[in-house]
Amino acid sequence: VKYEANAPEGCRAVAPRERQYYVYDVVKISQDEPKCKGFQFKGWKTTTNEKDYGSESFVMPASDVTLRGVWSTFDITSSR
């Protein structure tokens, strides 16, 4: 399983290290979330089928899996 931070432009976010698993292993998504000032990390999606894994786990398929970070901007609203 490979992680790509997919950091927003101007950010230098660090992704978790790549890990190896066997087919049918239960893979727990890394809880080490990348950080980027002014942006909120929303979770991980695969690069092949765009499945959103968030912070769950999955069963390792017979092929490599790359998880790419999903980001959004912080929404700041006034509470006056």
Side-chain angles (χ1 to χ4, degrees):
V1 174
K2 180 179 178 183
Y3 292 89
E4 293 179 355
N6 190 35
E9 188 173 333
C11 264
R12 295 180 68 182
V14 178
R17 293 183 320 131
E18 184 173 327
R19 304 248 348 232
Q20 292 187 0
Y21 296 92
Y22 294 104
V23 176
Y24 304 119
D25 279 352
V26 174
V27 177
K28 290 193 76 151
I29 303 294
S30 175
Q31 297 300 304
D32 296 332
E33 296 181 350
K35 305 234 182 299
C36 182
K37 186 176 181 180
F39 294 88
Q40 180 178 19
F41 183 75
K42 303 296 278 184
W44 302 101
K45 282 191 178 185
T46 62
T47 58
T48 53
N49 63 8
E50 292 298 310
K51 179 171 173 51
D52 182 358
Y53 285 114
S55 60
E56 299 175 22
S57 60
F58 63 94
V59 176
M60 186 68 187
S63 60
D64 292 343
V65 172
T66 300
L67 298 173
R68 181 173 288 152
V70 178
W71 300 84
S72 70
T73 56
F74 278 114
D75 290 330
I76 301 174
T77 57
S78 176
S79 60
R80 290 193 219 195

